[in-house]
Each structure stands twice: as structure tokens, then as C-alpha cells.
Amino acid sequence: MSSSRNKKRLSVALASVLALSALAGCSSASQPTSGGAGTAGAGKDEFSFYFTGSLNVKELWETLVPTFEKQNPSIKVKLVHIESGAGGQSTLDRLIAAKQAGQKSGNIDLYEAGLSDVTKGIKEDLWGAVETQKIPNLAKVDDGFLKDLKNMAIPYRASAVILAYNSAKVKTPPKTANELYDWIRNNPGRFAYNDPSTGGAGDSFVQTAIYNFLPPEAMRNSDPGMMSQWDKGFALLKELKPFMYQKGVFPKKNQGTLDLLANGEVDMIPAWSDMTLEQLNKKLLPDTVKMTQIDPAFTGGPTYLMVPKLTEHADSVNKFLDFVLSPEAQTVIVKKMFGYPGIKWSEMPQELRDQFKDVAGGYRQFNLGDLGKEIQKRWQREVAGE
Amino acid sequence: MTKKTKQSLLGLLLVLPSFLVLTFVVIVPIVLAINESFRNEAGQYSLEHYIYLFTDKVSVGNIIFTIKITLISVVLSLLISYIMAVYLRFSSGVIVKWIQKLYMIPMFIPSVIASYGIINMYGNHGWLSRILLLFGSEALPKIIFDYKGLILANLWFNIPFTTMLLSSALAGIPNAVIESAKDVGASRVQLFLKFIVPLSYRTMLVAVTFIFMGIIGGFTAPYLIGPNSPQVLGVAMQQIFSVYQETQLASANAVFMFVLCSLMGYFYIRTMIKDDKSH
């Protein structure tokens, strides 16, 4: 009696496990592949938009897309979020593979990524050129940015590393890089930058310290031969180390230094503009924290939107891009992400221009390729390790 | 089918899932990692990553640092836990009751939260230095971003579990043994060395193995609390793997950690087998 009952229990358990795994299999399989035209019913044109990034990027698109769909009832945007660091490369690989297999754009109709994916895609001839006739708001974007990339990518937002400081302690913030280094020497223990391998703010401080000694062309040179010219920069970083927080503590992550600034452990840090503004807004940083950009500036850069050349939904995608570049959507980007707008500041509402006037000065864009990793390795060895 | 074959089939069926999980989640990745660690950039077999691991200044510094931190933490946690377990076993009163209620709390606090708690408590302008300031002292040594903070965190994470293990072992020692030893005139030290330690030393070995493996593979606390350099192996490995993207070197690092843990495991199993035979 009891053994048969046990068997029945067992088979029920097994069946439910099977059913569960089958369900899980279905749902995970259907998510990434079912994009594109397949489900577009009742005359709706659906296109797939692949984007990478942290949660704030996802939240941004989840705010913008419903507004767009309300204005354009005939278009549906399918958002495909790819966690940062978890396969941005694979989206590009998919586009290349789809093109080689003659499958148009592989159901990827719009792609958001950083500079390296843009240039890789241009090399593979993946992107279609964007035109002002089809996207009227494109005229609001700085022409130089578009021409640099042969009109293949739209810089729709940007963020930069700036100097965040406690204005209650620092009355006259440094204006140049050399003034900053002098300030660090004169105020031992009151400055911190984060471990460059754990966040872009510290990375920017290290990179600019090294490349300020080199001609501007070096910023876009990824030739390993450049490594021999780093010595002066590293000597400076080593010399500055004893003047850092606790004689050479480099907190982990961009947030690590922001925490130190928030609780008054230090008075000045390099930080991302968007993170600093967001935390000022949420009162996580005291009101006395102000931002400034030095000359030559820290690094930063835009995030781009690209339209694969072989997309089948070009008209809908163009309408969407026009919406993203409208002052209305750009205001959401600035307010929600605290990023720099993709269109010119002169096109933005006055109120926002005032809020950003301290940091609107700009940033420098480095394109070092794999040399960035080499800098981090050498920093770990020579600056942290001494 | 006879009843016996049916039962053995059922047995196999029940073992199969865990066997498959073990194979594909543990064994296959280990074999792949070992294989990966012996390849150079061109894909040929070579020892270059191991040579780098044991000759490079930074890498050797990391290894020595990790082993030092681990050994100090193991000895300290064991010592404190033993004292606490003995106290809890052989004393009674209100304090004992309270300690018994409270000492397990750290086990239920996630390591990230505990790490930030430790930073807030012992940091440069943390609670401790503020309290000391009230008494006119400003000289708090650097604890956070230093090896001291790391050892402190290791103690916080390991003492509760070790104490729990040792307490259960000590609970198994009959009061009669202790009392009769006392009757024939054994001193407290003799009592501890001749009776309590031998009767609980297998559990102690289990505890040492657990603490050792937990600390040597630690990541969260060393990442948040530890110094920038030298790094513990876990943090260094993460940096090599996801920042420098040198998979092979990271694998060599992982294999080395695996070997350290296996050595510990070997001694543990050997003593266990020896003990079983002598019983």
C-alpha cells in the first residue's frame, strides 16, 4: 500500500518538475528571439530596439517609449534590454552574422551603444546613414559630432567626469589640471579618486594625468607603442599618492568616493556628472557639493543610437529617432538620467541650461582601445603597489 | 522486473539529477579551467601563467598576503570561538543566556551589509572614533582599507558558525566525565587539554576546514574593506578576469586556490579516516 502511494507521489513530483522546466524553457526561449514583424497585428508596425546599460538606462526607455507610442498609435517599440557587461558584443555579432547569412538585420532595428561598437559597426558597414530630411530634429544636434562618424550614429545623450567639491570647505575650486594637482599637494588627505579598474571616474583622473603630458593626437591612438610615453604621468600619480585620502586609499567603485564626499571625509573628488546630479537631487549628497570642470577637461562621451542598414522598419525607426531628439524627450533624459543632452544646449529649455551651466563646458573623449586596460594594470602595480 | 531491480533503478533515477548537476556545474568547469590555465595566448600548452603567478612581485605579494590573512583569521576565530563555546557550556546565568541568543545574529546578515556596517563602525570618522572623541582620544589606528579591518570582518563572519559547531561538540561531553576528573584532582588546564580538546577535536578540524576555505575564497569583504594593494586572491582574480580579461591567468589563479583548498581537504579527510580506523 504505502509503496504505491510513494510512487504516486514521486511521479506527481517528477511531472511537476518537468512541467516547470518546460515552462521555463518556453519563456526564456521566446523572449530574445520573437522580436520583429512576426507579432505585428492590426496594422501596427513593430520594431525591436536593443540597448545596453544599467538600470537607469532601462528606466529611461520605459519612460520615453509609452509617450512615443501614445503619439504614434500605429507604431510599437519592442524594448530588448541587455545588461551592461553581459553581451553587448553579442548584439554586434548577431548583426554581422545576420548580414552574412542574408537575413537582413536579424530583427535588430535600432541599437544603442558606446563609441567602440559604433566604429566596429562602421568597419563592417552595418549602419545606415541618418538624414535630416527624414529626421527633422537631427538639425538640432551639433553637426561636428555627426560628421565625425559619417552620419552613421546619433549621439543622443552624454555624460562626463567632473570635479565634485564641498563648497563650504573649498572657496575657490581649481580651474586647471595643474591647479588641481597643487590643491591636492596643499591639502593632504582631502582628495580621493576611486580605483581606476572599478569605475570610470577614477579611470578618467588617471588617464588625464597621463595624457596631459602628451600631444592631443595621443588621445585617439591605441598603438601599444604609446606605452613608453606614460612614464611622466605615472611619476606624477606616484608623487601625488601620499597626499591622497589616508595617504593613499583608493575606494572601490564610483560610489566609493561619492560616499567619502557625502560624509565629509574628503573635500574633492572626480565623479560622473550624472551620478553627482542624481544624488544631489535625492539629497544623498549635501547641498554644499558643487561641480566644476577643469581645463584640460576630464573624459566623457556620448552614447549613440544606430540604425542597422538592412532594417525593414526604417520609417518607424526614423519617427522614433525624431522623437528622441525632440526637446521634450531630451528634457526627460536630462532630468531622469542627469546626462548631457544630445542636442545643442541652445535648443534646451532655459531652466535646465541654468542648472547645468557649471559643467556644460564639456569633456574630452579618449579612444585608447586596449591601452585603457594596460593603464589600469600598470596603475595597480606601480601606484597602488608601491 | 523484480522488486529489487525496480528499486535500484529508482535509486539511480534519484541520484541522476544531482549527479548531472555536479558534472556540468562543478566537474566540467573545473576540468576546463585547469586546461585553460596551462595554455598561453596562442593556445599552446605552457607553464607561463604559473611561472608568472609565483615569480611576479605583485602576484607573490598577493599570495603571501592572502595566506597570512587566512592563517591569522583561522587561529583567532578558533581561539575566540573555543573560549566562547567552553564558557557557554560550563557556565550558567543571565549573561550566558543572552550570549546564546545573540551570538548567531551575524550569520543572518548578508556580507555586503555587514561590510558596510563595519566600515561605518570602524571607519575614519565612524562610530568608534566618534565615541573615542568624547573621551578625548583621537588616535584610532587605520582599520578600514587595511588588513586589520579584513581580519575583523573575517572574525565577524566566522566566529558564530565555529562557536555553534564547537558548542554542539561540547554539549556531547557528559558532565560525569568532567566531574570525575575534577574529583581526582585535575586542574582546569589539565581538564581542558586532556579531556575537552580530545573529545571535541574532530569538530574543531571540521571548523578549521570551513573557516579556511571560506576565508581563502572570500571576495565581498576584502573588495570593500581591504587595501588597494596587496589584494587577496579572490579580488585579484576578479580583476584579472573581468577587468584585464586575461582568462588563462585568472584560471591559473583559480587552480592555485583550488590546490590550497584541496590540501586542506586532504588533511581533513586523512585524519577522519585514521580516526575511524582506530575506533
Side-chain angles (χ1 to χ4, degrees):
Chain A
M1 243 330 256
S2 77
S3 91
S4 81
R5 197 188 289 158
N6 276 343
K7 254 181 225 162
K8 204 182 250 172
R9 255 188 220 156
L10 183 75
S11 58
V12 167
L14 275 177
S16 59
V17 166
L18 279 176
L20 271 178
S21 59
L23 276 176
C26 278
S27 62
S28 66
S30 68
Q31 253 177 11
T33 50
S34 75
T39 47
K44 267 198 180 185
D45 192 27
E46 185 181 67
F47 70 87
S48 303
F49 172 28
Y50 280 62
F51 61 99
T52 44
S54 309
L55 204 61
N56 55 347
V57 184
K58 190 170 176 241
E59 282 169 0
L60 170 72
W61 290 117
E62 280 167 358
T63 317
L64 284 180
V65 165
T67 322
F68 171 73
E69 284 175 347
K70 212 177 271 169
Q71 293 172 7
N72 298 273
S74 64
I75 302 173
K76 198 168 158 25
V77 185
K78 187 180 160 61
L79 289 173
V80 182
H81 177 222
I82 296 166
E83 296 266 354
S84 55
Q89 178 62 33
S90 69
T91 312
L92 208 62
D93 286 343
R94 264 182 73 179
L95 277 165
I96 296 169
K99 188 184 161 207
Q100 282 166 353
Q103 289 179 334
K104 305 280 180 185
S105 64
N107 278 336
I108 299 167
D109 302 304
L110 185 61
Y111 180 43
E112 180 219 65
L115 186 62
S116 70
D117 276 9
V118 177
T119 43
K120 274 183 211 157
I122 289 178
K123 252 182 232 160
E124 297 282 339
D125 193 24
L126 290 179
W127 317 128
V130 286
E131 294 162 38
T132 317
Q133 289 98 315
K134 288 177 187 156
I135 309 169
N137 277 332
L138 206 56
K140 295 191 170 79
V141 179
D142 193 333
D143 233 18
F145 284 129
L146 289 169
K147 273 189 190 139
D148 274 352
L149 295 162
K150 300 171 190 148
N151 288 349
M152 295 289 183
I154 304 172
Y156 82 95
R157 67 175 166 92
S159 50
V161 175
I162 43 84
L163 203 61
Y165 64 97
N166 181 351
S167 61
K169 295 272 184 67
V170 184
K171 297 293 173 210
T172 47
K175 288 191 184 64
T176 66
N178 283 329
E179 278 180 42
L180 170 64
Y181 303 143
D182 281 338
W183 189 92
I184 295 172
R185 291 186 194 105
N186 294 332
N187 299 274
R190 306 306 299 168
F191 183 87
Y193 65 91
N194 63 287
D195 178 343
S197 69
T198 64
D203 207 27
S204 179
F205 182 85
V206 170
Q207 286 190 358
T208 48
I210 294 167
Y211 277 81
N212 284 348
F213 288 107
L214 302 178
E217 309 88 73
M219 292 172 0
R220 289 171 199 280
N221 190 345
S222 54
D223 175 25
M226 294 300 295
M227 288 162 68
S228 58
Q229 299 180 36
W230 291 348
D231 296 350
K232 262 191 182 172
F234 273 106
L236 171 69
L237 289 168
K238 269 188 263 183
E239 184 238 309
L240 288 175
K241 185 185 172 187
F243 301 105
M244 292 292 149
Y245 174 60
Q246 295 198 349
K247 299 197 170 75
V249 166
F250 306 94
K252 303 288 163 74
K253 299 261 171 202
N254 296 321
Q255 188 59 43
T257 40
L258 280 168
D259 287 344
L260 290 182
L261 185 66
N263 58 26
E265 297 268 294
V266 297
D267 297 329
M268 202 185 288
I269 59 166
W272 283 103
S273 56
D274 50 350
M275 282 178 86
T276 313
L277 275 168
E278 182 175 7
Q279 292 182 25
L280 273 173
N281 215 39
K282 289 183 178 162
K283 307 276 176 216
L284 293 171
L285 284 171
D287 289 338
T288 50
V289 167
K290 293 222 160 71
M291 302 188 297
T292 185
Q293 185 58 282
I294 53 167
D295 176 50
F298 286 117
T299 54
T303 306
Y304 298 91
L305 286 169
M306 287 83 69
V307 188
K309 210 178 204 171
L310 301 171
T311 175
E312 293 166 272
H313 304 276
D315 290 341
S316 307
V317 171
N318 283 340
K319 260 188 204 155
F320 182 64
L321 290 175
D322 195 49
F323 166 75
V324 171
L325 294 175
S326 65
E328 177 200 355
Q330 290 285 319
T331 304
V332 175
I333 287 173
V334 174
K335 282 197 168 156
K336 198 155 177 86
M337 303 259 318
F338 301 100
Y340 290 72
I343 61 178
K344 283 174 261 183
W345 275 108
S346 54
E347 306 280 352
M348 297 297 287
Q350 184 64 41
E351 161 218 1
L352 283 174
R353 272 192 266 167
D354 291 343
Q355 201 184 340
F356 271 78
K357 67 178 188 308
D358 293 331
V359 287
Y363 48 82
R364 282 186 293 170
Q365 204 173 354
F366 281 24
N367 197 0
L368 301 177
D370 283 345
L371 286 185
K373 271 186 256 171
E374 294 300 327
I375 291 179
Q376 292 168 358
K377 258 192 243 177
R378 188 162 161 189
W379 182 89
Q380 177 66 37
R381 178 173 296 268
E382 293 186 7
V383 182
E386 284 300 304
Chain B
M1 250 193 277
T2 64
K3 201 177 169 195
K4 211 172 181 186
T5 51
K6 258 190 196 170
Q7 264 185 347
S8 55
L9 266 181
L10 183 70
L12 279 180
L13 204 72
L14 287 175
V15 174
L16 200 65
S18 65
F19 174 74
L20 285 179
V21 167
L22 201 67
T23 312
F24 288 104
V25 177
V26 180
I27 296 172
V28 171
I30 287 178
V31 173
L32 287 179
I34 293 175
N35 184 36
E36 181 87 15
S37 70
F38 284 105
R39 283 173 188 267
N40 61 16
E41 236 150 269
Q44 287 144 337
Y45 285 97
S46 87
L47 281 173
E48 66 175 278
H49 298 302
Y50 288 95
I51 294 169
Y52 178 88
L53 204 61
F54 298 119
T55 54
D56 179 69
K57 201 182 86 196
V58 174
S59 170
V60 172
N62 289 346
I63 292 174
I64 294 173
F65 179 68
T66 312
I67 293 177
K68 243 194 227 163
I69 287 280
T70 311
L71 291 181
I72 294 175
S73 304
V74 169
V75 170
L76 282 180
S77 341
L78 201 65
L79 206 71
I80 296 172
S81 304
Y82 230 124
I83 293 171
M84 207 153 107
V86 169
Y87 175 69
L88 291 177
R89 167 71 178 82
F90 297 109
S91 309
S92 53
V94 188
I95 301 175
V96 172
K97 266 188 195 153
W98 272 101
I99 293 178
Q100 253 158 356
K101 274 180 198 154
L102 292 176
Y103 82 88
M104 282 199 233
I105 289 177
M107 282 166 62
F108 301 103
I109 295 176
S111 54
V112 181
I113 292 169
S115 300
Y116 277 111
I118 289 171
I119 291 176
N120 274 335
M121 182 74 199
Y122 299 98
N124 202 11
H125 287 98
W127 288 100
L128 192 65
S129 72
R130 268 179 259 174
I131 293 167
L132 282 181
L133 203 63
L134 288 182
F135 298 101
S137 162
E138 272 188 73
L140 184 70
K142 182 168 144 188
I143 297 174
I144 300 303
F145 306 121
D146 197 50
Y147 73 96
K148 293 188 222 69
L150 208 48
I151 291 176
L152 205 68
N154 285 337
L155 293 182
W156 158 274
F157 291 122
N158 288 295
I159 286 176
F161 185 63
T162 319
T163 309
M164 198 177 75
L165 275 181
L166 291 171
S167 293
S168 69
L170 294 183
I173 301 175
N175 273 339
V177 173
I178 309 289
E179 273 155 24
S180 51
K182 268 187 191 160
D183 286 346
V184 293
S187 71
R188 283 187 169 197
V189 176
Q190 276 176 325
L191 204 63
F192 182 72
L193 292 176
K194 296 263 163 72
F195 290 91
I196 297 174
V197 171
L199 284 170
S200 60
Y201 115 102
R202 281 182 86 166
T203 315
M204 190 181 87
L205 217 62
V206 177
V208 168
T209 317
F210 271 108
I211 308 174
F212 182 88
M213 291 189 180
I215 291 175
I216 210 146
F219 175 78
T220 313
Y223 183 77
L224 293 170
I225 296 176
N228 292 92
S229 172
Q231 300 162 303
V232 303
L233 287 176
V235 175
M237 189 166 74
Q238 188 269 346
Q239 196 179 43
I240 295 169
F241 183 77
S242 38
V243 182
Y244 308 155
Q245 294 175 353
E246 292 175 5
T247 327
Q248 290 116 341
L249 184 57
S251 302
N253 215 322
V255 171
F256 175 63
M257 273 164 80
F258 183 65
V259 169
L260 281 180
C261 289
S262 318
L263 274 178
M264 197 67 211
Y266 168 75
F267 282 118
Y268 166 68
I269 291 170
R270 205 184 63 170
T271 3
M272 288 293 143
I273 292 173
K274 238 201 242 162
D275 259 27
D276 277 341
K277 271 184 194 155
S278 65
H279 271 293

